[in-house]
Amino acid sequence: MSKRTFILLLALLASLSFHGCVYYNTFYHAQLASEEAEALRKERPPGSQPSSTEMELYERVVEKAGRVVRKHSDTKWVDDALLLMGTALYHQGKYESAEQRLTELITTYPESDLRTEAEYMLASVKLAKGSAVSAEQLLLAIATADPPHELSDDALILIGETLRARGLYGEAAEAYVDALGRFPDSDLRARAHYFAAENYMEIGDLPSAVRHFAEAATERGSTSILFDARMRMAEAGIELGQFETSLEVIDDLEARTDDRDNLDEVLLLRGRAFETMGDLPEAIETYEGVVAAHARSPAAAEAYYRIGLIQRDEMEDLEQAKEFFDKAREEAARSDAGQLALEASRDIEELSRHLAVIAASEEAPEAMAEGEAPAEDQGPSERERVEGEAGTGSIVDTTHTEMLPVTPLPGEAGELSPTDPDTLGAVAPSSGEVVADAADTTRAAADALADQGPAEDAVADARFHAAELYLFSLGDHEKALEQYRVVVEEHPESAEAPSAAFAIAWTHENVSADSMAAAAAYRVVVDEYPMSDQAAAAREWLGLPPLVVEEEVAAEEVGPPSPPDTLAAGDQPPSESPGELEAPGETVPGGAVTGTEPDDAPSGPADAPPEPDDAPSESADEPPEPEEAGSEEPSSP
């Protein structure tokens, strides 16, 4: 071998060795980044968001593994690289790309020893995309493998997630319990207990939930899972009324917790425990402690929001409740509690406006009955306040109920009676009083009507919407029913009456769970408002056939009416011979009325029948109309 050939051979071997080292190093760094990211993922609570560091590591995995797939597609590490890419893309939330890479691995390398792991990850992707059934089909073979695969316990737990995603909470809990029984040495036991407890909570099996949360806290697992498990155990205990045990767990968590956010969660849960126990002063003091310790935080916003709920629902102090809701918004407006506080504050504002209208309607008749005299300085009249606030959406202040005399307008006969209900107590002026300005008279009448309280339709509308707020915003169905009933009983002709009657039935059915009361109330809707849309819905609920209107039946039998004969513009009606004319008073096809009137007789409407010769020219009850200027004198009889 010549020296030159030997040198070339060494160079070739070095080149191959170099490219091999570069390829393996690229894959190695991708695998290392994946392991670091997985370690971070397993340390955070289930369902929590990944940190920026975790996401950066997954991005590095995609970059490094992608380079291996693109530049070294003929090597033995390509299937490994595809699996790393698919897994990293899944955890990044890039489900379409993840599905493509994992499917590529399964179809291109069907004999790969990574196929089962790829199918497991593909099932995770499909579940995240909402295809729970497809995901379950992929997982069943892995979960039931005999002998069990190293991913069999993972697959069985993921099957529980597919069932939960479909709302099958009981079956999901059973899947987790099955995993616990089949895999006693699994490192996923803490998660299995935790997920089983969550599903038991969903179906209302609180004792089983407490038991599994407690078991999760004793299993091997991350610190975050243990903290969450004990917190949820305390929550379930509070719902069960196990206050002493729950407070002991909370106290222990507070002593062991150094993280400020976790400590806020513990203190907020303690406040909720005191609320449920009925110790409202202690609950408020606990919430105020959260604000003092961690101001301008989402926890502080939630603390103020909880105090607002206590003031609104327990103490029924809407003014104080709104004040605390507004404070919650000041602490953290964009937090969940801040947004809820904003909605609650607006609901109170709206409810207050409706209650003001209701109060004014109740005060006005009382003032009229007691004969209250107007105050010396009443300020702007109600009419002026209405005009000044028109279009602003505000409610007119109707707390003053002054009674002004109502003068008949010019041309009106008779006097207003102080006992006439239509005048609502207005007093007419003396018969000798002369009204000089009609505009002043109209203004006085409008002011008097305004001072007598809001119109009936406005009161019915206010009561109905107040009931809606009580029911859906404040959760007080008793007050809602009270307002609905007033609308039905005192404003039966209002536009809101059918809706209020239906709302009574709906509340009995869906809130009170009283089917007998609901049936009776739906029957009222059918009987009292038979032609309304609400009656149609009530008939359907009662199992009654739809109401068929007689006019509709007649229209179906007779058929559509024939279109009227019309003439185009400029056309003349067809001429008729004297023999073709119909009898006087009858209508010919053209729509004109025929008769024996003289040619110079004044013509009336085309479809008006002729009057008899002996008919009086004017109604006996109406005075004759004055003759126009320049008209001829009527002939003497």
Side-chain angles (χ1 to χ4, degrees), residues 322-337:
K322 186 178 185 306
E323 179 179 335
F324 281 105
F325 289 144
D326 293 340
K327 286 183 177 181
R329 293 165 53 198
E330 293 173 2
E331 293 295 326
R334 296 185 179 181
S335 66
D336 291 342

Side-chain angles (χ1 to χ4, degrees), residues 322 343-357 395 461-462 465-466 468-469 473:
K322 186 178 185 306
E343 295 177 9
S345 179
R346 288 175 175 173
D347 288 341
I348 290 178
E349 289 179 0
E350 184 179 355
L351 179 61
S352 298
R353 290 195 296 268
H354 294 317
L355 294 179
V357 175
I395 298 299
D461 182 81
H465 286 93
E468 297 281 280
L469 287 167
S473 297

Side-chain angles (χ1 to χ4, degrees), residues 275 280 283-289 291 300-315 317 320-325 327-328:
E275 275 191 72
L280 301 183
I284 293 174
E285 183 178 347
T286 303
Y287 291 137
E288 289 175 341
V291 176
E302 184 173 352
Y304 272 141
Y305 174 68
R306 298 298 309 180
I307 296 176
L309 292 178
I310 292 174
Q311 296 290 342
R312 187 192 71 182
D313 301 336
E314 304 299 332
M315 301 183 177
D317 189 334
Q320 281 290 308
K322 186 178 185 306
E323 179 179 335
F324 281 105
F325 289 144
K327 286 183 177 181

Side-chain angles (χ1 to χ4, degrees), residues 358 361-362 456 459-460 463-464 467 479-492 494 497 500 504 529:
I358 296 170
S361 70
E362 295 171 346
E456 180 176 352
V459 177
R463 287 192 181 278
F464 179 79
K479 287 187 177 180
L481 286 172
E482 177 183 346
Q483 293 297 334
Y484 285 138
R485 291 189 182 106
V486 175
V487 173
V488 173
E489 295 170 3
E490 298 186 7
H491 310 280
S494 67
I504 293 172
Y529 310 98

Side-chain angles (χ1 to χ4, degrees), residues 95-372:
Y95 303 127
E96 294 296 337
S97 298
E99 185 173 10
Q100 291 175 6
R101 292 305 184 184
L102 294 167
T103 303
E104 181 181 353
L105 190 162
I106 295 170
T107 56
T108 308
Y109 304 95
E111 302 301 325
S112 172
D113 57 356
L114 300 176
R115 178 186 175 94
T116 301
E117 192 171 349
E119 289 176 341
Y120 174 84
M121 287 308 306
L122 183 59
S124 300
V125 172
K126 289 184 176 295
L127 178 59
K129 291 176 63 178
S131 301
V133 176
S134 298
E136 186 176 348
Q137 292 172 350
L138 285 169
L139 293 166
L140 281 173
I142 304 173
T144 58
D146 189 18
H149 190 273
E150 62 178 3
L151 288 175
S152 293
D153 54 343
D154 301 73
L156 192 52
I157 288 176
L158 195 56
I159 287 175
E161 292 188 33
T162 67
L163 295 168
R164 177 185 175 90
R166 293 157 57 191
L168 304 174
Y169 303 115
E171 295 180 30
E174 291 177 4
Y176 294 124
V177 173
D178 187 19
L180 290 166
R182 288 179 55 191
F183 303 99
D185 298 325
S186 172
D187 59 353
L188 299 175
R189 291 183 61 82
R191 288 176 179 264
H193 278 298
Y194 185 87
F195 291 143
E198 283 195 323
N199 283 276
Y200 281 126
M201 289 279 286
E202 292 288 350
I203 62 177
D205 188 349
L206 297 181
S208 295
V210 170
R211 184 175 69 256
H212 280 282
F213 279 133
E215 290 290 339
T218 63
E219 294 283 356
R220 300 190 312 272
S222 66
T223 305
S224 59
I225 293 178
L226 300 181
F227 173 81
D228 286 350
R230 301 197 73 196
M231 284 286 291
R232 297 301 303 276
M233 180 178 67
E235 290 178 16
I238 291 170
E239 292 190 40
L240 281 172
Q242 300 174 354
F243 301 118
E244 184 176 353
T245 302
S246 298
L247 287 173
E248 289 177 358
V249 173
I250 291 171
D251 291 341
D252 184 65
L253 284 170
E254 182 182 7
R256 294 172 179 267
T257 302
D258 297 326
D259 183 81
R260 179 67 252 180
D261 292 336
N262 287 347
L263 184 59
D264 288 339
E265 291 185 38
V266 172
L267 296 177
L268 288 170
L269 184 57
R270 176 182 288 155
R272 287 174 55 191
F274 286 130
E275 275 191 72
T276 309
M277 294 169 62
D279 192 345
L280 301 183
E282 193 68 31
I284 293 174
E285 183 178 347
T286 303
Y287 291 137
E288 289 175 341
V290 174
V291 176
H294 202 179
R296 294 294 185 267
S297 68
E302 184 173 352
Y304 272 141
Y305 174 68
R306 298 298 309 180
I307 296 176
L309 292 178
I310 292 174
Q311 296 290 342
R312 187 192 71 182
D313 301 336
E314 304 299 332
M315 301 183 177
E316 298 186 355
D317 189 334
L318 296 182
E319 184 177 353
Q320 281 290 308
K322 186 178 185 306
E323 179 179 335
F324 281 105
F325 289 144
D326 293 340
K327 286 183 177 181
R329 293 165 53 198
E330 293 173 2
E331 293 295 326
R334 296 185 179 181
S335 66
D336 291 342
Q339 293 298 312
L340 291 173
L342 174 61
E343 295 177 9
S345 179
R346 288 175 175 173
D347 288 341
I348 290 178
E349 289 179 0
E350 184 179 355
L351 179 61
S352 298
R353 290 195 296 268
H354 294 317
L355 294 179
V357 175
I358 296 170
S361 70
E362 295 171 346
E363 292 173 1
E366 294 177 1
M368 302 293 290
E370 296 174 1
E372 293 182 1

Side-chain angles (χ1 to χ4, degrees), residues 549-560:
V549 183
E550 294 181 359
E551 289 80 354
E552 295 178 356
V553 175
E556 292 178 359
E557 294 175 353
V558 175

